[in-house]
Amino acid sequence: MAYELYYWPTIQGRGEFIRLALEEAGADYRDVARLPERKGQGVPAMLACLDGGSTPQAAYAPPVLRDGEVLIGQTTNILLYLGRRLGLAPRAESGRLWLNQLQLTMADWLTEVHDTHHPLSTNQYYEEQKQAAMLRSADFRQTRLPKFFDYFTQVLLNSRGQYLVGARLTYGDLSLFQMLAGLQYAFPQAMARLAPQYPALFALHDMVAARPNIARYLKSKRRIPFNEEGIFRHYPELDG
């Protein structure tokens, strides 16, 4: 049976990390909320995964992955599940735990990206917290981005190769690609200044983008464009 991915149909968001893993592996999957609304499809089917009254072990929020009778929430948890099944994680438990740790760190990083444009409340529009967002973004660009870049550069150096973990591509490399791609969209000026200082990170980005399955996906209609509804948003006043 095909995997079923439940995520918002108009944004990349946290679901994109799952899509990249499925696309790289050439896995058979259905992006359920993007399908026409009828029984078991569309946004209502996604929302049903969050309904604790009708779905045991309901997720708090998407993404959610269904594999037969197994229903899994949380991006990092889903990738931990898919990793070995798709050939995108080490065989040894120690390696899988290390990869999971790196993915959790990227989840923290992604939250910080979101908070650059919504530092006060997710229930307020960006325009209602614009001044706070400008302050938060300046700190993010000047201190937080270099700290994350330094950390993942050191991880690459310690792995003694072109991948984050071991001698083969893992879902962690795909996720780091997505982080860098999103940041280039959201903060093009800041990223242009930082990129020359971190050649190993951007070599990984380019390597992932050139992989046959990923290259086809990036050119396809399945890849939702970055936009100002997702996590990575480009507001010129927040860049610099």
Side-chain angles (χ1 to χ4, degrees), residues 7-31:
Y7 196 67
W8 301 107
T10 60
I11 62 173
Q12 292 184 22
R14 292 175 176 83
E16 193 66 11
F17 297 89
I18 314 302
R19 294 187 186 111
L20 286 167
L22 293 166
E23 292 283 346
E24 166 61 23
D28 186 13
Y29 78 99
R30 300 168 70 235
D31 209 336

PDB file of all heavy atoms in Angstrom, residues 7-31:
ATOM      1  N   TYR A   7      -0.976  16.661   5.189  1.00  0.00           N
ATOM      2  CA  TYR A   7      -0.408  17.967   5.516  1.00  0.00           C
ATOM      3  C   TYR A   7      -1.168  19.027   4.731  1.00  0.00           C
ATOM      4  O   TYR A   7      -1.842  18.741   3.740  1.00  0.00           O
ATOM      5  CB  TYR A   7       1.091  18.034   5.194  1.00  0.00           C
ATOM      6  CG  TYR A   7       1.756  19.210   5.886  1.00  0.00           C
ATOM      7  CD1 TYR A   7       1.864  19.246   7.273  1.00  0.00           C
ATOM      8  CD2 TYR A   7       2.208  20.313   5.162  1.00  0.00           C
ATOM      9  CE1 TYR A   7       2.423  20.333   7.916  1.00  0.00           C
ATOM     10  CE2 TYR A   7       2.775  21.403   5.796  1.00  0.00           C
ATOM     11  CZ  TYR A   7       2.870  21.412   7.173  1.00  0.00           C
ATOM     12  OH  TYR A   7       3.410  22.489   7.827  1.00  0.00           O
ATOM     13  N   TRP A   8      -1.038  20.280   5.175  1.00  0.00           N
ATOM     14  CA  TRP A   8      -1.728  21.392   4.518  1.00  0.00           C
ATOM     15  C   TRP A   8      -1.376  21.421   3.032  1.00  0.00           C
ATOM     16  O   TRP A   8      -0.211  21.277   2.664  1.00  0.00           O
ATOM     17  CB  TRP A   8      -1.351  22.717   5.179  1.00  0.00           C
ATOM     18  CG  TRP A   8      -1.682  22.757   6.634  1.00  0.00           C
ATOM     19  CD1 TRP A   8      -0.801  22.700   7.672  1.00  0.00           C
ATOM     20  CD2 TRP A   8      -2.981  22.832   7.225  1.00  0.00           C
ATOM     21  NE1 TRP A   8      -1.470  22.733   8.873  1.00  0.00           N
ATOM     22  CE2 TRP A   8      -2.811  22.819   8.625  1.00  0.00           C
ATOM     23  CE3 TRP A   8      -4.285  22.907   6.689  1.00  0.00           C
ATOM     24  CZ2 TRP A   8      -3.895  22.877   9.500  1.00  0.00           C
ATOM     25  CZ3 TRP A   8      -5.349  22.968   7.573  1.00  0.00           C
ATOM     26  CH2 TRP A   8      -5.152  22.958   8.959  1.00  0.00           C
ATOM     27  N   PRO A   9      -2.362  21.645   2.162  1.00  0.00           N
ATOM     28  CA  PRO A   9      -2.136  21.468   0.727  1.00  0.00           C
ATOM     29  C   PRO A   9      -1.479  22.639   0.002  1.00  0.00           C
ATOM     30  O   PRO A   9      -1.114  22.500  -1.163  1.00  0.00           O
ATOM     31  CB  PRO A   9      -3.557  21.248   0.189  1.00  0.00           C
ATOM     32  CG  PRO A   9      -4.441  22.001   1.129  1.00  0.00           C
ATOM     33  CD  PRO A   9      -3.792  21.835   2.484  1.00  0.00           C
ATOM     34  N   THR A  10      -1.308  23.786   0.659  1.00  0.00           N
ATOM     35  CA  THR A  10      -0.816  24.975  -0.048  1.00  0.00           C
ATOM     36  C   THR A  10       0.539  25.466   0.435  1.00  0.00           C
ATOM     37  O   THR A  10       1.025  26.490  -0.050  1.00  0.00           O
ATOM     38  CB  THR A  10      -1.825  26.126   0.084  1.00  0.00           C
ATOM     39  OG1 THR A  10      -2.016  26.446   1.472  1.00  0.00           O
ATOM     40  CG2 THR A  10      -3.153  25.758  -0.552  1.00  0.00           C
ATOM     41  N   ILE A  11       1.145  24.775   1.389  1.00  0.00           N
ATOM     42  CA  ILE A  11       2.449  25.207   1.914  1.00  0.00           C
ATOM     43  C   ILE A  11       3.402  24.019   2.002  1.00  0.00           C
ATOM     44  O   ILE A  11       2.987  22.875   2.072  1.00  0.00           O
ATOM     45  CB  ILE A  11       2.321  25.866   3.303  1.00  0.00           C
ATOM     46  CG1 ILE A  11       1.754  24.880   4.332  1.00  0.00           C
ATOM     47  CG2 ILE A  11       1.488  27.143   3.228  1.00  0.00           C
ATOM     48  CD1 ILE A  11       1.766  25.400   5.760  1.00  0.00           C
ATOM     49  N   GLN A  12       4.697  24.356   1.993  1.00  0.00           N
ATOM     50  CA  GLN A  12       5.706  23.318   2.233  1.00  0.00           C
ATOM     51  C   GLN A  12       5.725  22.946   3.714  1.00  0.00           C
ATOM     52  O   GLN A  12       5.494  21.805   4.078  1.00  0.00           O
ATOM     53  CB  GLN A  12       7.083  23.815   1.794  1.00  0.00           C
ATOM     54  CG  GLN A  12       7.255  23.995   0.305  1.00  0.00           C
ATOM     55  CD  GLN A  12       8.658  24.388  -0.059  1.00  0.00           C
ATOM     56  OE1 GLN A  12       9.616  24.158   0.681  1.00  0.00           O
ATOM     57  NE2 GLN A  12       8.818  25.001  -1.220  1.00  0.00           N
ATOM     58  N   GLY A  13       6.028  23.930   4.566  1.00  0.00           N
ATOM     59  CA  GLY A  13       5.980  23.734   6.006  1.00  0.00           C
ATOM     60  C   GLY A  13       6.758  22.522   6.494  1.00  0.00           C
ATOM     61  O   GLY A  13       7.749  22.103   5.896  1.00  0.00           O
ATOM     62  N   ARG A  14       6.297  21.958   7.583  1.00  0.00           N
ATOM     63  CA  ARG A  14       6.970  20.797   8.168  1.00  0.00           C
ATOM     64  C   ARG A  14       6.747  19.531   7.343  1.00  0.00           C
ATOM     65  O   ARG A  14       7.535  18.592   7.420  1.00  0.00           O
ATOM     66  CB  ARG A  14       6.484  20.596   9.609  1.00  0.00           C
ATOM     67  CG  ARG A  14       6.944  21.700  10.551  1.00  0.00           C
ATOM     68  CD  ARG A  14       6.360  21.567  11.949  1.00  0.00           C
ATOM     69  NE  ARG A  14       6.904  22.581  12.841  1.00  0.00           N
ATOM     70  CZ  ARG A  14       6.451  23.828  12.933  1.00  0.00           C
ATOM     71  NH1 ARG A  14       5.424  24.212  12.192  1.00  0.00           N
ATOM     72  NH2 ARG A  14       7.010  24.691  13.762  1.00  0.00           N
ATOM     73  N   GLY A  15       5.692  19.526   6.558  1.00  0.00           N
ATOM     74  CA  GLY A  15       5.442  18.362   5.722  1.00  0.00           C
ATOM     75  C   GLY A  15       6.475  18.166   4.637  1.00  0.00           C
ATOM     76  O   GLY A  15       6.668  17.045   4.146  1.00  0.00           O
ATOM     77  N   GLU A  16       7.162  19.236   4.248  1.00  0.00           N
ATOM     78  CA  GLU A  16       8.121  19.131   3.145  1.00  0.00           C
ATOM     79  C   GLU A  16       9.300  18.237   3.487  1.00  0.00           C
ATOM     80  O   GLU A  16       9.873  17.590   2.600  1.00  0.00           O
ATOM     81  CB  GLU A  16       8.609  20.527   2.741  1.00  0.00           C
ATOM     82  CG  GLU A  16       9.355  20.566   1.423  1.00  0.00           C
ATOM     83  CD  GLU A  16       8.485  20.237   0.222  1.00  0.00           C
ATOM     84  OE1 GLU A  16       7.237  20.182   0.366  1.00  0.00           O
ATOM     85  OE2 GLU A  16       9.044  20.026  -0.870  1.00  0.00           O
ATOM     86  N   PHE A  17       9.668  18.163   4.743  1.00  0.00           N
ATOM     87  CA  PHE A  17      10.762  17.280   5.144  1.00  0.00           C
ATOM     88  C   PHE A  17      10.383  15.815   4.889  1.00  0.00           C
ATOM     89  O   PHE A  17      11.237  15.007   4.522  1.00  0.00           O
ATOM     90  CB  PHE A  17      11.098  17.513   6.615  1.00  0.00           C
ATOM     91  CG  PHE A  17      11.588  18.905   6.902  1.00  0.00           C
ATOM     92  CD1 PHE A  17      10.695  19.926   7.228  1.00  0.00           C
ATOM     93  CD2 PHE A  17      12.940  19.208   6.839  1.00  0.00           C
ATOM     94  CE1 PHE A  17      11.146  21.219   7.475  1.00  0.00           C
ATOM     95  CE2 PHE A  17      13.403  20.496   7.092  1.00  0.00           C
ATOM     96  CZ  PHE A  17      12.503  21.502   7.405  1.00  0.00           C
ATOM     97  N   ILE A  18       9.101  15.505   5.057  1.00  0.00           N
ATOM     98  CA  ILE A  18       8.619  14.152   4.770  1.00  0.00           C
ATOM     99  C   ILE A  18       8.569  13.924   3.264  1.00  0.00           C
ATOM    100  O   ILE A  18       8.992  12.870   2.765  1.00  0.00           O
ATOM    101  CB  ILE A  18       7.217  13.924   5.374  1.00  0.00           C
ATOM    102  CG1 ILE A  18       7.134  14.423   6.821  1.00  0.00           C
ATOM    103  CG2 ILE A  18       6.833  12.458   5.262  1.00  0.00           C
ATOM    104  CD1 ILE A  18       8.121  13.795   7.755  1.00  0.00           C
ATOM    105  N   ARG A  19       8.045  14.900   2.538  1.00  0.00           N
ATOM    106  CA  ARG A  19       7.971  14.764   1.083  1.00  0.00           C
ATOM    107  C   ARG A  19       9.340  14.508   0.476  1.00  0.00           C
ATOM    108  O   ARG A  19       9.487  13.674  -0.431  1.00  0.00           O
ATOM    109  CB  ARG A  19       7.350  16.027   0.466  1.00  0.00           C
ATOM    110  CG  ARG A  19       5.895  16.263   0.827  1.00  0.00           C
ATOM    111  CD  ARG A  19       5.347  17.441   0.017  1.00  0.00           C
ATOM    112  NE  ARG A  19       3.990  17.785   0.432  1.00  0.00           N
ATOM    113  CZ  ARG A  19       3.666  18.920   1.073  1.00  0.00           C
ATOM    114  NH1 ARG A  19       4.605  19.803   1.384  1.00  0.00           N
ATOM    115  NH2 ARG A  19       2.419  19.161   1.392  1.00  0.00           N
ATOM    116  N   LEU A  20      10.348  15.233   0.918  1.00  0.00           N
ATOM    117  CA  LEU A  20      11.688  15.060   0.359  1.00  0.00           C
ATOM    118  C   LEU A  20      12.202  13.637   0.564  1.00  0.00           C
ATOM    119  O   LEU A  20      12.815  13.054  -0.341  1.00  0.00           O
ATOM    120  CB  LEU A  20      12.651  16.074   0.974  1.00  0.00           C
ATOM    121  CG  LEU A  20      12.499  17.515   0.485  1.00  0.00           C
ATOM    122  CD1 LEU A  20      13.288  18.462   1.388  1.00  0.00           C
ATOM    123  CD2 LEU A  20      12.956  17.655  -0.963  1.00  0.00           C
ATOM    124  N   ALA A  21      11.968  13.076   1.743  1.00  0.00           N
ATOM    125  CA  ALA A  21      12.408  11.700   2.001  1.00  0.00           C
ATOM    126  C   ALA A  21      11.677  10.718   1.095  1.00  0.00           C
ATOM    127  O   ALA A  21      12.286   9.813   0.505  1.00  0.00           O
ATOM    128  CB  ALA A  21      12.185  11.349   3.469  1.00  0.00           C
ATOM    129  N   LEU A  22      10.377  10.880   0.963  1.00  0.00           N
ATOM    130  CA  LEU A  22       9.593   9.982   0.117  1.00  0.00           C
ATOM    131  C   LEU A  22      10.000  10.115  -1.352  1.00  0.00           C
ATOM    132  O   LEU A  22      10.103   9.116  -2.079  1.00  0.00           O
ATOM    133  CB  LEU A  22       8.103  10.278   0.280  1.00  0.00           C
ATOM    134  CG  LEU A  22       7.502   9.955   1.660  1.00  0.00           C
ATOM    135  CD1 LEU A  22       6.134  10.613   1.815  1.00  0.00           C
ATOM    136  CD2 LEU A  22       7.399   8.456   1.881  1.00  0.00           C
ATOM    137  N   GLU A  23      10.240  11.341  -1.797  1.00  0.00           N
ATOM    138  CA  GLU A  23      10.634  11.567  -3.188  1.00  0.00           C
ATOM    139  C   GLU A  23      12.025  11.006  -3.475  1.00  0.00           C
ATOM    140  O   GLU A  23      12.240  10.368  -4.509  1.00  0.00           O
ATOM    141  CB  GLU A  23      10.592  13.065  -3.501  1.00  0.00           C
ATOM    142  CG  GLU A  23       9.200  13.667  -3.514  1.00  0.00           C
ATOM    143  CD  GLU A  23       8.420  13.333  -4.786  1.00  0.00           C
ATOM    144  OE1 GLU A  23       9.043  12.858  -5.769  1.00  0.00           O
ATOM    145  OE2 GLU A  23       7.191  13.563  -4.798  1.00  0.00           O
ATOM    146  N   GLU A  24      12.965  11.236  -2.594  1.00  0.00           N
ATOM    147  CA  GLU A  24      14.321  10.708  -2.788  1.00  0.00           C
ATOM    148  C   GLU A  24      14.301   9.196  -2.897  1.00  0.00           C
ATOM    149  O   GLU A  24      15.023   8.602  -3.718  1.00  0.00           O
ATOM    150  CB  GLU A  24      15.230  11.152  -1.639  1.00  0.00           C
ATOM    151  CG  GLU A  24      16.555  10.424  -1.528  1.00  0.00           C
ATOM    152  CD  GLU A  24      17.475  10.568  -2.739  1.00  0.00           C
ATOM    153  OE1 GLU A  24      17.335  11.553  -3.495  1.00  0.00           O
ATOM    154  OE2 GLU A  24      18.340   9.685  -2.924  1.00  0.00           O
ATOM    155  N   ALA A  25      13.496   8.549  -2.082  1.00  0.00           N
ATOM    156  CA  ALA A  25      13.431   7.085  -2.069  1.00  0.00           C
ATOM    157  C   ALA A  25      12.583   6.523  -3.210  1.00  0.00           C
ATOM    158  O   ALA A  25      12.561   5.302  -3.414  1.00  0.00           O
ATOM    159  CB  ALA A  25      12.877   6.609  -0.728  1.00  0.00           C
ATOM    160  N   GLY A  26      11.902   7.387  -3.946  1.00  0.00           N
ATOM    161  CA  GLY A  26      11.006   6.898  -4.995  1.00  0.00           C
ATOM    162  C   GLY A  26       9.833   6.120  -4.434  1.00  0.00           C
ATOM    163  O   GLY A  26       9.313   5.205  -5.083  1.00  0.00           O
ATOM    164  N   ALA A  27       9.413   6.483  -3.217  1.00  0.00           N
ATOM    165  CA  ALA A  27       8.342   5.752  -2.548  1.00  0.00           C
ATOM    166  C   ALA A  27       6.986   6.099  -3.147  1.00  0.00           C
ATOM    167  O   ALA A  27       6.753   7.218  -3.624  1.00  0.00           O
ATOM    168  CB  ALA A  27       8.342   6.078  -1.055  1.00  0.00           C
ATOM    169  N   ASP A  28       6.095   5.152  -3.106  1.00  0.00           N
ATOM    170  CA  ASP A  28       4.716   5.356  -3.533  1.00  0.00           C
ATOM    171  C   ASP A  28       3.967   6.029  -2.383  1.00  0.00           C
ATOM    172  O   ASP A  28       3.868   5.464  -1.289  1.00  0.00           O
ATOM    173  CB  ASP A  28       4.093   4.001  -3.880  1.00  0.00           C
ATOM    174  CG  ASP A  28       2.700   4.134  -4.484  1.00  0.00           C
ATOM    175  OD1 ASP A  28       2.317   5.259  -4.862  1.00  0.00           O
ATOM    176  OD2 ASP A  28       1.999   3.108  -4.558  1.00  0.00           O
ATOM    177  N   TYR A  29       3.467   7.243  -2.621  1.00  0.00           N
ATOM    178  CA  TYR A  29       2.735   7.935  -1.558  1.00  0.00           C
ATOM    179  C   TYR A  29       1.653   8.827  -2.137  1.00  0.00           C
ATOM    180  O   TYR A  29       1.702   9.221  -3.301  1.00  0.00           O
ATOM    181  CB  TYR A  29       3.688   8.740  -0.668  1.00  0.00           C
ATOM    182  CG  TYR A  29       4.172  10.062  -1.227  1.00  0.00           C
ATOM    183  CD1 TYR A  29       3.575  11.266  -0.854  1.00  0.00           C
ATOM    184  CD2 TYR A  29       5.249  10.115  -2.113  1.00  0.00           C
ATOM    185  CE1 TYR A  29       4.029  12.478  -1.345  1.00  0.00           C
ATOM    186  CE2 TYR A  29       5.710  11.328  -2.611  1.00  0.00           C
ATOM    187  CZ  TYR A  29       5.102  12.507  -2.228  1.00  0.00           C
ATOM    188  OH  TYR A  29       5.551  13.716  -2.719  1.00  0.00           O
ATOM    189  N   ARG A  30       0.671   9.115  -1.287  1.00  0.00           N
ATOM    190  CA  ARG A  30      -0.417  10.018  -1.629  1.00  0.00           C
ATOM    191  C   ARG A  30      -0.369  11.220  -0.696  1.00  0.00           C
ATOM    192  O   ARG A  30      -0.298  11.062   0.510  1.00  0.00           O
ATOM    193  CB  ARG A  30      -1.771   9.312  -1.483  1.00  0.00           C
ATOM    194  CG  ARG A  30      -1.934   8.102  -2.369  1.00  0.00           C
ATOM    195  CD  ARG A  30      -3.171   7.286  -1.977  1.00  0.00           C
ATOM    196  NE  ARG A  30      -4.404   7.973  -2.303  1.00  0.00           N
ATOM    197  CZ  ARG A  30      -5.378   8.241  -1.444  1.00  0.00           C
ATOM    198  NH1 ARG A  30      -5.251   7.900  -0.158  1.00  0.00           N
ATOM    199  NH2 ARG A  30      -6.469   8.853  -1.821  1.00  0.00           N
ATOM    200  N   ASP A  31      -0.383  12.421  -1.283  1.00  0.00           N
ATOM    201  CA  ASP A  31      -0.428  13.660  -0.513  1.00  0.00           C
ATOM    202  C   ASP A  31      -1.911  13.982  -0.324  1.00  0.00           C
ATOM    203  O   ASP A  31      -2.521  14.714  -1.102  1.00  0.00           O
ATOM    204  CB  ASP A  31       0.302  14.770  -1.285  1.00  0.00           C
ATOM    205  CG  ASP A  31       0.924  15.804  -0.379  1.00  0.00           C
ATOM    206  OD1 ASP A  31       0.453  15.958   0.757  1.00  0.00           O
ATOM    207  OD2 ASP A  31       1.889  16.467  -0.803  1.00  0.00           O
TER     208      ASP A  31
END
